[in-house]
């Protein structure tokens, strides 16, 4: 055993060394257009990407087009260090950053929050990206700027703004999973999108409609159950605004999301055999925001917004043999949130930013259990639960000569349930003149803070029919962390890019679900309870590098090493791959106006259980994309996702985190004008 352990450690060290050497010695692509991309997430003020003192990674509109991304999950799958996972017990995908799970990653659209589909994490597949200008990713604690839930980082989706005149885009695509299709139609997965915008100079507006339809996917067609959800997901959003002669701007932005999906599953009952069941889920998200921006005083700027969002999720579990819906669950969450921010320069070398944020949030959930004789209503939250908070933040962007920039900041939060907390941070960027400022060194230290969600404190998730329950804990205390980010970036012209970033996150009072053996033995069920497990640590390194060999050929490669430890028991945290590598190669064939792209993604093995005895296998996936511009307004495209057909083993055990769907082949067309 000792020899095996030594060989495994030796293998991992060699793999880490190999990844670093490859990333340094094969400097491949960087997106040249990102240098001029204007970003806002790192400082809450608009900056050029290369000039941001906070490290920001960007997915551009061109990359979204090249990769044929339909939703936010697909848009993020090629970002270095980003881990996407299926949401446990629900449909959809969630994002993990630097060893932090999705409950600790804040997802925003134009700086405004998205309600969590599970009460804690956001389903990225519910967010269409057809109206997206670019996506900004900030890793590590950003609590000083964005408050609770930003311990692990922020994903900020920046939507397009209407340009002068009228423009439109229509996208249609459809494809098949082959033998894994559920149903007889060869078109298993279809997508339609429509986007139009108009700007008259004063009035501007845009409308986006997106519809995705899936028949479902099945790894074993001989069984009743299938793994990939079937049904529809649709988005509808709009913006309408007016620009005043003074430079002020007023905008209203409503949006609507609807999801109607289903999946077959079954369970074995002694003496009866396989019991066939169906899960039906309908989700709706309705939101509206009003924003106002105006110049103030001589050089200052005032921005304010208010947002209301309501999210409902209705789930039915139906045993087909009973003739009625056996179990129904209805959850509803909503929030009101507003923010006012003021930016004003102090002389020529400082920019002061401060703001105030108000939030009111509520969550309720009920379950109906039916038998042939009665209906039992269970209040799983024990009444509607609410919380509110008021927060203040301030930062000062200080320029010291042409080479050094300091960005100290602080946030004060007063929560209705947990009182007051202060989260400070400081960032530094050094751009030495001896490299013509093509080299950037960045350091960031921040304090993370997260209050327990209403779900974690009050939820009673009764799945007795499947043998388990998850019970909230009203005695939970807030999580805190200290985050350190140290990195260097080098850009040479538009051809060469290299970036290395070290991260360290020290976490206290981490909230997790743990098995309660005493209650489990007493009830005969597996009883899981939320608890503060104490201390944890995540640390590692992100390396990316890129080179454009010619105008036609470019590529990039990235490697991420993650060490995530539960310090209470000195074991690796679960579901966190230690090694991750990604690459992309683009080849443009100019005579036929065609771009060929190949994407690769490798994830090492990961532990399933807290004692590190059960391991989910390592795996690799490859995606191949083709884009052909027939004219300035017509593009044909095709792709093969999961080219090698990598999937989980069947029958499913719950211990395998490889893809649940195999090879997907599709064709599409895009009209623009």
């Amino acid at each position: 055993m000792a020899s095996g352990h030594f060989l495994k450690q030796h293998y991992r060290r060699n793999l880490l060394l190999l990844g670093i050497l490859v990333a340094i010695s094969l400097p491949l692509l960087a997106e040249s257009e990102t240098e001029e991309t204007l970003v806002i997430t790192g400082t809450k003020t608009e900056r050029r990407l290369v000039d941001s003192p906070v490290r920001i990674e960007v997915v551009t509109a061109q990359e979204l087009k090249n990769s044929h991304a339909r939703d936010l999950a697909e848009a993020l799958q090629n970002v270095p260090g980003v881990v996407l996972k299926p949401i446990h017990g629900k449909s959809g995908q969630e994002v993990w950053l630097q060893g932090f799970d999705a409950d600790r990653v804040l997802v925003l659209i134009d700086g405004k929050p998205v309600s969590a589909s599970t009460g804690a994490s956001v389903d990225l597949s519910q967010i269409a990206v057809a109206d997206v200008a670019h996506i900004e990713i900030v890793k590590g604690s950003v609590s000083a700027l964005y408050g609770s839930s930003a311990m692990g980082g922020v994903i900020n989706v920046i939507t397009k703004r209407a340009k002068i005149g009228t423009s439109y885009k229509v996208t249609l695509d459809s494809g098949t999973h082959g033998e894994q299709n559920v149903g007889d139609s060869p078109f298993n997965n279809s997508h339609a999108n429509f986007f139009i915008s108009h700007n008259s100079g004063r009035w501007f507006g845009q409308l986006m409609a997106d519809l995705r339809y899936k028949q479902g996917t099945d790894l074993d067609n001989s069984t009743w159950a299938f793994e990939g959800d079937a049904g529809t997901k649709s988005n509808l959003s709009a913006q309408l605004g007016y620009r005043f002669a003074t430079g002020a701007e007023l905008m209203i932005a409503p949006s609507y999301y609807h999801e109607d999906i289903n999946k077959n599953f079954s369970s074995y009952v002694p003496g009866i055999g396989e019991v066939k069941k169906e899960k039906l889920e309908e989700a709706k998200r309705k939101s509206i925001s009003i924003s106002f921006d105006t110049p103030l005083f001589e050089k200052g700027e005032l921005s304010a917004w208010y947002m209301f969002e309501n999210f409902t999720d209705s789930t039915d579990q139906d045993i087909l043999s009973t003739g009625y819906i056996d179990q129904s669950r209805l959850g509803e969450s909503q929030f009101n949130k507003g923010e006012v921010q003021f930016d004003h320069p102090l002389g020529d070398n400082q920019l002061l930013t401060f703001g105030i944020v108000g939030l009111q949030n509520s969550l309720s959930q009920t379950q109906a259990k039916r038998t042939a004789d009665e209906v039992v209503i269970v209040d799983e939250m024990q009444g509607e639960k609410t919380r509110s908070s008021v927060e203040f933040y301030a930062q000062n962007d200080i320029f010291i000569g042409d080479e050094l920039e300091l960005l100290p900041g602080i946030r004060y939060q007063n929560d209705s349930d947990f009182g007051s907390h202060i989260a400070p941070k400081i960032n530094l960027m050094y751009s030495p003149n001896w490299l013509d400022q093509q080299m950037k060194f960045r350091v960031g230290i921040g304090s993370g803070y997260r209050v327990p969600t209403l779900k974690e404190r009050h939820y009673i998730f009764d799945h007795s029919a499947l043998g388990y329950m998850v019970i909230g804990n009203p005695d939970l205390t807030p999580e805190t962390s200290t985050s350190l980010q140290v990195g260097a970036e080098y850009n040479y012209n538009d051809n060469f890019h290299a970036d290395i970033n070290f991260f360290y996150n020290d976490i206290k009072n981490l909230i997790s679900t743990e098995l309660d053996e005493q209650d489990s033995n007493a009830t005969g069920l597996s009883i899981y309870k939320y608890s503060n497990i104490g201390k944890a640590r995540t640390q590692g390194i992100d390396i990316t590098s890129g080179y454009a060999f010619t105008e036609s050929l470019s590529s990039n490669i990235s490697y991420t090493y993650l060490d995530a430890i539960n310090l209470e028991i000195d074991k690796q945290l679960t579901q966190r791959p230690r090694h991750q590598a990604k690459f992309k190669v683009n080849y443009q064939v100019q005579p036929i106006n065609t771009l060929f792209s190949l994407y690769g993604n490798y994830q090492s093995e990961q532990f399933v259980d807290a004692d590190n005895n059960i391991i989910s296998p390592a795996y690799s996936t490859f995606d191949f994309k083709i884009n052909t511009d027939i004219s300035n307004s017509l593009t044909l495209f095709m792709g093969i996702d999961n080219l090698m057909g990598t999937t989980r083993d069947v029958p499913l055990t719950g211990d395998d985190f490889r893809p649940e769907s195999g090879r997907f082949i599709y064709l599409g067309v895009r009209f623009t004008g």
Side-chain angles (χ1 to χ4, degrees):
M1 293 293 294
S3 175
H5 178 74
F6 171 79
L7 289 174
K8 183 181 287 188
Q9 295 297 325
H10 181 69
Y11 166 77
R12 289 174 177 170
R13 284 195 296 270
N14 287 344
L15 184 60
L16 171 60
L17 179 61
L18 177 62
I20 294 174
L21 291 175
V22 168
I24 293 175
S25 63
L26 295 177
L28 306 175
L29 157 109
E31 299 273 354
S32 61
E33 65 191 276
T34 60
E35 181 174 344
E36 297 304 321
T37 299
L38 298 178
V39 295
I40 193 170
T41 308
T43 61
K44 277 186 171 281
T45 55
E46 198 169 68
R47 303 285 297 273
R48 285 199 319 158
L49 175 62
V50 294
D51 294 332
S52 173
V54 179
R55 182 174 181 259
I56 301 176
E57 294 168 270
V58 169
V59 180
T60 65
Q62 185 62 46
E63 176 58 24
L64 295 175
K65 176 183 175 182
N66 292 347
S67 64
H68 315 149
R70 299 171 170 183
D71 56 44
L72 185 55
E74 294 181 359
L76 294 175
Q77 64 183 358
N78 299 307
V79 176
V82 167
V83 178
L84 298 174
K85 291 183 175 293
I87 299 175
H88 179 67
K90 303 284 286 186
S91 169
Q93 298 278 314
E94 60 184 19
V95 60
W96 296 33
L97 297 176
Q98 292 191 350
F100 286 95
D101 64 24
D103 296 356
R104 293 152 185 85
V105 177
L106 183 63
V107 178
L108 307 171
I109 298 179
D110 291 326
K112 305 172 185 66
V114 179
S115 56
S117 58
T118 65
S121 61
V122 174
D123 178 2
L124 304 182
S125 70
Q126 295 180 349
I127 303 172
V129 294
D131 60 344
V132 171
H134 66 271
I135 302 164
E136 302 176 10
I137 302 102
V138 178
K139 300 172 183 174
S141 175
V142 201
S143 295
L145 278 184
Y146 293 97
S148 187
S149 298
M151 283 182 63
V154 172
I155 308 291
N156 195 3
V157 178
I158 308 299
T159 61
K160 297 177 181 178
R161 300 302 300 272
K163 298 179 180 179
I164 296 295
T166 301
S167 61
Y168 69 88
K169 179 176 69 173
V170 178
T171 303
L172 303 170
D173 58 81
S174 187
T176 179
H177 284 274
E179 294 182 353
Q180 293 181 3
N181 287 353
V182 173
D184 298 327
S185 172
F187 300 105
N188 172 273
N189 189 332
S190 300
H191 170 236
N193 174 268
F194 173 75
F195 174 80
I196 186 170
S197 68
H198 178 75
N199 189 334
S200 66
R202 288 294 178 88
W203 288 98
F204 62 91
Q206 60 190 44
L207 176 69
M208 185 274 290
D210 188 273
L211 176 64
R212 287 153 283 161
Y213 168 72
K214 295 183 179 181
Q215 284 189 340
T217 56
D218 193 355
L219 295 178
D220 185 357
N221 289 319
S222 66
T223 63
W224 164 257
F226 61 85
E227 291 72 39
D229 295 301
T232 61
K233 296 186 177 185
S234 55
N235 296 83
L236 182 66
S237 63
Q239 294 180 1
L240 178 63
Y242 183 78
R243 291 189 181 91
F244 298 88
T246 60
E249 182 177 290
L250 177 67
M251 185 173 70
I252 182 171
S255 68
Y256 176 75
Y257 171 79
H258 182 254
E259 170 182 293
D260 191 357
I261 58 176
N262 65 86
K263 185 192 310 189
N264 294 349
F265 70 106
S266 64
S267 60
Y268 180 80
V269 178
I272 298 178
E274 182 186 35
V275 177
K276 295 181 178 180
K277 303 179 182 179
E278 186 177 19
K279 180 182 178 181
L280 310 169
E281 185 169 4
E282 183 177 20
K284 298 178 182 179
R285 177 185 285 111
K286 294 173 283 188
S287 69
I288 187 168
S289 67
I290 301 174
S291 59
F292 180 71
D293 299 274
T294 183
L296 197 64
F297 305 126
E298 187 173 344
K299 297 181 180 179
E301 182 173 350
L302 178 71
S303 60
W305 58 264
Y306 164 78
M307 180 179 183
F308 170 79
E309 183 160 291
N310 176 271
F311 181 82
T312 58
D313 188 16
S314 175
T315 305
D316 295 333
Q317 180 178 295
D318 184 21
I319 300 175
L320 299 188
S321 61
T322 62
Y324 52 83
I325 302 296
D326 300 86
Q327 187 181 90
S328 299
R329 180 175 279 112
L330 176 62
E332 181 175 9
S333 65
Q334 66 180 35
F335 67 81
N336 294 272
K337 188 169 186 178
E339 180 172 353
V340 178
Q341 178 177 316
F342 177 63
D343 306 299
H344 194 274
L346 301 177
D348 295 330
N349 299 314
Q350 298 185 58
L351 177 62
L352 179 65
T353 297
F354 60 88
I356 180 172
V357 181
L359 168 69
Q360 185 179 48
N361 177 223
S362 67
L363 180 64
S364 64
Q365 183 151 304
T366 58
Q367 179 187 181
K369 296 181 179 180
R370 298 178 179 87
T371 66
D373 301 319
E374 64 176 349
V375 178
V376 178
I377 304 298
V378 179
D379 187 342
E380 296 186 313
M381 295 293 295
Q382 302 176 44
E384 183 182 69
K385 302 302 180 182
T386 63
R387 63 172 286 258
S388 59
S389 66
V390 177
E391 305 168 40
F392 302 88
Y393 61 88
Q395 71 174 12
N396 192 17
D397 200 350
I398 306 169
F399 299 87
I400 304 174
D402 296 330
E403 300 183 355
L404 187 63
E405 181 178 354
L406 291 176
L407 188 70
I410 193 168
R411 190 182 192 98
Y412 167 81
Q413 176 172 333
N414 185 272
D415 189 271
S416 59
D417 297 331
F418 295 98
S420 301
H421 183 81
I422 294 177
K425 64 102 177 181
I426 186 168
N427 293 87
L428 176 150
M429 184 172 71
Y430 175 57
S431 308
N433 282 326
W434 45 271
L435 284 175
D436 198 23
Q437 294 193 340
Q438 294 174 342
M439 188 80 179
K440 309 281 186 181
F441 297 94
R442 295 183 177 92
V443 177
I445 303 175
S447 173
Y449 181 69
R450 176 180 178 269
V451 300
T453 66
L454 293 173
K455 174 185 175 182
E456 291 167 340
R457 293 163 56 202
H458 304 290
Y459 194 33
I460 301 176
F461 186 71
D462 186 358
H463 240 322
S464 302
L466 299 179
Y468 74 94
M469 294 178 64
V470 182
I471 300 176
N473 181 358
D475 297 323
L476 291 174
T477 59
E479 301 173 331
T480 59
S481 70
T482 300
S483 175
L484 172 65
Q485 313 283 322
V486 179
E489 174 186 356
Y490 180 70
N491 294 279
Y492 182 74
N493 297 328
D494 291 332
N495 298 324
F496 175 73
H497 170 84
D499 189 321
I500 183 169
N501 186 68
F502 299 90
F503 59 87
Y504 177 90
N505 299 290
D506 183 62
I507 312 157
K508 296 180 180 178
N509 295 320
L510 182 68
I511 297 171
S512 181
T513 51
E514 302 291 325
L515 181 68
D516 189 313
E517 294 186 6
Q518 182 176 347
D519 284 359
S520 296
N521 292 332
T523 61
L525 300 171
S526 296
I527 305 297
Y528 294 90
K529 294 184 178 180
Y530 289 98
S531 62
N532 293 101
I533 67 172
K535 297 181 180 180
R537 181 199 67 220
T538 72
Q539 60 184 354
I541 182 173
D542 278 328
I543 304 173
T544 63
S545 55
Y547 188 71
F549 297 97
T550 67
E551 290 185 0
S552 300
L553 178 63
S554 62
S555 56
N556 74 347
I557 191 169
S558 70
Y559 170 76
T560 299
Y561 172 77
L562 171 67
D563 180 43
I565 298 290
N566 180 341
L567 297 174
E568 297 293 301
I569 59 175
D570 194 28
K571 298 287 187 180
Q572 288 286 323
L573 292 172
T574 61
Q575 301 187 51
R576 293 160 172 87
R578 186 183 289 262
H579 306 282
Q580 184 190 73
K582 299 182 180 183
F583 77 86
K584 176 179 66 176
V585 177
N586 285 339
Y587 182 65
Q588 179 79 40
V589 182
Q590 298 290 352
I592 57 174
N593 295 321
T594 299
L595 176 68
F596 297 90
S597 302
L598 179 65
Y599 299 82
N601 186 340
Y602 166 80
Q603 286 192 23
S604 66
E605 62 185 24
Q606 49 194 298
F607 291 108
V608 177
D609 64 322
D611 292 328
N612 294 176
N613 294 321
I614 305 173
I615 295 175
S616 176
Y619 69 92
S620 299
T621 59
F622 301 91
D623 299 336
F624 180 63
K625 316 283 185 176
I626 301 176
N627 293 274
T628 299
D629 293 327
I630 304 300
S631 65
N632 290 334
S633 59
L634 175 61
T635 299
L636 300 179
F637 60 89
M638 70 158 290
I640 307 176
D641 292 344
N642 198 354
L643 186 63
M644 306 305 294
T646 302
T647 61
R648 305 172 185 179
D649 289 334
V650 290
L652 301 179
T653 62
D655 300 335
D656 191 340
F657 300 141
R658 288 176 292 180
E660 64 181 19
S661 298
R663 187 180 299 108
F664 176 57
I665 304 173
Y666 62 92
L667 296 170
V669 60
R670 182 182 300 110
F671 305 92
T672 57

